[in-house]
Amino acid sequence: MISTKRHVQQLASLFLSKEILDIVLCPGSRNGPLIHTLAGCGKFDCRVIVDERSAGYFALGMAQAKKKPVGLVCSSGTAAVNFASAVAEAFYQKIPLIVVTADRPDYWIDQLENQCIHQKGLYRNFIKQSCSLPLEESDSQLWAGARLINDILNTAVSDGPGPVHINIPLEEPLHKTVDAQLPGVKVIDAADTQTQLGKKALAGVAEEIRRADKILVLAGQSPGNAELDNALALFVKKTGAVVAAEHLANLQMASDCCCACPELVLGSISQGDAAVFQPDLLITFGRHFVSKRIRQFLRTYKPDKHIHVDAGGGHMDTYQALTRVCAMAPERFFEQMAGMQIQKSSEDYAGAWKDREQEALPIYEHYLDQAPFCDFTACAYALNAAPQGSVIHLGNSSAARYAVLTPGTRFKGVTWFGNRGTSGIDGSVSTAVGYASCSAQINTLILGDLSFFYDSNGLWNKYLEKNLRIIVLNNGGGNIFSFVEDLAGRTGEENQAVFQKYFFAGHRAKAEGLASAFGLDYLQADSDSGLDKALGDLYNPGRIVPTLLEVFTDARTNTNVFKGLFTEIKKALTK
């Protein structure tokens, strides 16, 4: 049985034609025609999430796992507003969510009608494209509706994918159905994006590479792929460039091609040797870096030339040095560059990065071994315990910063995710749960206590799979704010009281009750030996239930240990 609403029928038919088969539905009445049709036709994998904010992130995680668009459907009013955080995250991560919001007809806007707000253009600042379908169902309006849907679905996956929004005004009756098949609808296909640089642009890029003695490639957050790994390796071999990548870049390159722990290198650079690491040519691709140090360094010691490679042609001038944009996929760019006749630049620059990394790693290892039990040690031990070939999701704030200090070359076959598009603490649980529900691998989410409690509704669904592992670093508050010098560095009893109450937001909450309420196994640790045992239990191959491990640490110790690492590195390596 499907709804009698013909615009809804067309939408479902075009979803099917374009292989958008995964749908997250939020219960409601105004979106009844959408639920009846998408769930009733038997063609879609429909999942139900009650909390719209959680549902948005759940769908985002599914899209990451499936590597294709996911539909996200809700009723009218604030239900649609609650999708906004996930839509923004999808926009800045370039993830194709197809957001469908049911709406009241225009004539009820601002007329004291229930669940009725201005929904047109609701996500206009962080959406690739949006449209509102016609209310009436004449032949011309159905034609216009089908054209709009075709356009918007093509846009979602075109140059630089991203979220799109379809708003559907619906009149009562909302729950009238018919036993029928989905109608045939004209499908409009879109052409592929540019895959090669033109002759003039190619000559210009090649000349900039030839002239550069110090080439730095920054790999931002990316899903990664084998083609990109191979193309980058060829480019490095051909040019003598150095690639700097955090874990979220998902590169699987040999250590001689890539600096896999740039944060340790950057933390060791002093004013006296900064020129050694300053690039002549910077080439960037992907999305965000966790490291603030890389932004500060390159904004201070700017390259002469900066090329950004982005399929959507985005002008990302992160380091205030952008000179060229190449609108193409990174793997195509590096593949094309590797095929050019380019003289290899000096190996001194890449050598400086690799030598400094190799000097910093033993200092890191020794410091880790000697450090007291804290978030830093717990995160490192947890990452090292995670199975090869698994998926690791990083919460924002301190968890992501701890993780990038752990040498990335240790994690062959591991896939990394984190909501770094907007870097908010909301949605980390929901995204990981959504991804794990579509994944066969062990999925581990490591996050802080505030982030976990903020998104605990991410556990309020029936899709918690046996492969889900959650590690909560409970330090009793927002420990990340103690890393901010002009907050935590303040002296005086009054200033400390303000920090503790309004920034740190201290609490005494524990996750055990939530784990029980939502049906997860619960483990805890508050020492090195306790954590070692708990991690053994957490990753025991015989464990076949979703499990939460809560690690209790001291906030002041966390701050001192984190800051102390860079003090040790600078003391040993400052030139």
Side-chain angles (χ1 to χ4, degrees):
M1 304 293 287
I2 62 174
S3 172
T4 57
K5 304 292 186 184
R6 296 175 69 189
H7 284 297
V8 172
Q9 293 176 4
Q10 286 195 147
L11 174 69
S13 185
L14 285 168
F15 269 20
L16 191 61
S17 297
K18 293 181 180 294
E19 299 184 341
I20 301 169
L21 305 178
D22 296 289
I23 311 292
V24 175
L25 299 173
C26 297
S29 182
R30 187 58 51 168
N31 60 337
L34 289 155
I35 295 173
H36 285 304
T37 304
L38 293 167
C41 73
K43 303 292 185 181
F44 300 94
D45 180 4
C46 295
R47 307 190 184 201
V48 181
I49 304 289
V50 175
D51 182 333
E52 285 89 4
R53 189 180 69 181
S54 178
Y57 283 105
F58 185 96
L60 186 148
M62 288 183 65
Q64 289 174 326
K66 295 273 189 174
K67 294 183 171 61
K68 60 182 183 180
V70 170
L72 179 60
V73 179
C74 74
S75 190
S76 62
T78 57
V81 178
N82 285 329
F83 281 164
S85 294
V87 174
E89 181 65 32
F91 181 73
Y92 287 106
Q93 277 201 60
K94 295 193 172 184
I95 295 173
L97 291 185
I98 314 299
V99 181
V100 183
T101 56
D103 198 1
R104 257 63 173 178
D106 278 351
Y107 52 75
W108 284 126
I109 302 293
D110 295 333
Q111 296 302 307
L112 305 183
E113 176 72 3
N114 290 332
Q115 292 185 315
C116 190
I117 66 172
H118 289 272
Q119 290 181 202
K120 290 181 181 179
L122 180 62
Y123 316 111
R124 59 184 174 274
N125 291 326
F126 35 84
I127 202 85
K128 284 195 73 180
Q129 188 173 326
S130 64
C131 72
S132 192
L133 297 184
L135 178 63
E136 302 300 329
E137 295 183 340
S138 68
D139 287 346
S140 60
Q141 287 166 326
L142 286 168
W143 164 81
R147 178 182 56 77
L148 287 169
I149 296 168
N150 268 292
D151 184 10
I152 210 162
L153 296 183
N154 288 340
T155 299
V157 295
S158 65
D159 306 343
V164 294
H165 176 209
I166 301 171
N167 191 58
I168 304 183
L170 294 164
E171 287 184 308
E172 296 180 358
L174 300 171
H175 301 284
K176 188 175 180 180
T177 60
V178 61
D179 187 3
Q181 298 295 314
L182 294 175
V185 182
K186 181 176 70 173
V187 178
I188 304 172
D189 292 320
D192 291 337
T193 58
Q194 177 183 350
T195 58
Q196 296 285 321
L197 286 177
K199 186 176 180 180
K200 182 178 179 180
L202 181 61
V205 173
E207 183 61 23
E208 289 173 1
I209 293 173
R210 289 190 189 102
R211 290 184 176 182
D213 289 326
K214 300 185 292 183
I215 304 173
L216 174 62
V217 178
L218 280 187
Q221 182 175 12
S222 165
N225 60 69
E227 267 192 290
L228 178 57
D229 292 335
N230 293 334
L232 264 177
L234 287 172
F235 180 79
V236 167
K237 184 177 180 181
K238 190 73 172 283
T239 63
V242 62
V243 177
E246 294 175 337
H247 308 350
L248 290 169
N250 283 301
L251 297 185
Q252 298 288 332
M253 298 176 66
S255 59
D256 60 344
C257 295
C258 181
C259 176
C261 202
E263 186 74 343
L264 293 180
V265 174
L266 293 162
S268 76
I269 297 174
S270 66
Q271 209 170 13
D273 62 358
V276 174
F277 297 92
Q278 180 181 12
D280 299 330
L281 172 62
L282 174 66
I283 302 175
T284 57
F285 69 92
R287 310 307 293 166
H288 297 74
F289 256 71
V290 174
S291 173
K292 185 177 181 179
R293 285 184 173 85
I294 192 68
R295 295 191 295 276
Q296 291 174 328
F297 178 76
L298 289 172
R299 287 171 187 171
T300 303
Y301 303 98
K302 291 180 171 61
D304 294 330
K305 302 287 184 180
H306 173 197
I307 299 171
H308 183 64
V309 183
D310 179 79
H315 287 51
M316 307 303 178
D317 197 8
T318 310
Y319 310 104
Q320 301 174 318
L322 186 67
T323 54
R324 185 186 295 270
V325 174
C326 293
M328 59 194 302
E331 54 267 34
R332 300 282 84 81
F333 173 84
F334 290 109
E335 185 180 72
Q336 192 173 9
M337 290 303 104
M340 295 289 292
Q341 293 297 320
I342 300 173
Q343 183 177 351
K344 191 170 184 177
S345 62
S346 169
E347 295 182 354
D348 292 346
Y349 184 64
W353 277 84
K354 293 304 299 175
D355 289 347
R356 183 61 61 89
E357 184 180 39
Q358 292 306 308
E359 291 171 342
L361 285 174
I363 300 169
Y364 161 86
E365 297 286 0
H366 178 74
Y367 188 83
L368 181 66
D369 289 342
Q370 300 300 313
F373 184 74
C374 60
D375 280 355
F376 172 64
T377 59
C379 187
Y381 297 152
L383 290 173
N384 286 320
Q388 289 290 311
S390 63
V391 180
I392 296 177
H393 306 265
L394 299 175
N396 284 314
S397 297
S398 54
R401 287 162 175 80
Y402 289 131
V404 298
L405 293 172
T406 307
T409 50
R410 296 179 177 179
F411 306 107
K412 291 299 182 185
V414 171
T415 306
W416 300 84
F417 290 98
N419 288 342
R420 298 301 299 178
T422 56
S423 301
I425 66 168
D426 51 339
S428 294
V429 176
S430 299
T431 306
V433 170
Y435 189 105
S437 73
C438 302
S439 171
Q441 299 118 303
I442 293 294
N443 277 247
T444 302
L445 168 63
I446 304 175
L447 77 171
D449 45 9
L450 296 190
S451 184
F452 171 76
F453 292 124
Y454 193 98
D455 192 34
S456 57
N457 261 10
L459 303 176
W460 182 30
N461 60 70
K462 59 184 179 181
Y463 308 108
L464 304 181
E465 300 294 341
K466 64 183 180 181
N467 61 344
L468 179 65
R469 306 288 182 266
I470 300 175
I471 299 175
V472 179
L473 303 175
N474 191 340
N475 46 54
N479 205 174
I480 184 63
F481 295 112
S482 66
F483 296 172
V484 181
E485 293 293 343
D486 58 350
L487 283 178
R490 293 181 178 183
T491 58
E493 186 176 333
E494 183 179 345
N495 283 332
Q496 282 299 315
V498 168
F499 171 76
Q500 289 291 326
K501 184 174 182 179
Y502 296 107
F503 292 95
F504 185 70
H507 66 87
R508 296 181 180 179
K510 296 182 179 180
E512 184 173 7
L514 286 169
S516 175
F518 293 121
L520 286 81
D521 269 8
Y522 177 80
L523 303 169
Q524 62 177 318
D526 59 6
S527 65
D528 287 324
S529 59
L531 180 61
D532 186 58
K533 181 181 183 303
L535 288 171
D537 290 344
L538 187 70
Y539 293 119
N540 187 317
R543 179 168 290 279
I544 55 172
V545 291
T547 304
L548 186 149
L549 165 60
E550 189 167 19
V551 182
F552 296 97
T553 64
D554 175 71
R556 189 176 296 275
T557 302
N558 293 335
T559 303
N560 292 338
V561 170
F562 181 78
K563 292 182 177 180
L565 171 62
F566 293 100
T567 299
E568 288 295 310
I569 288 176
K570 283 188 175 180
K571 184 167 63 176
L573 299 180
T574 296
K575 306 297 183 182

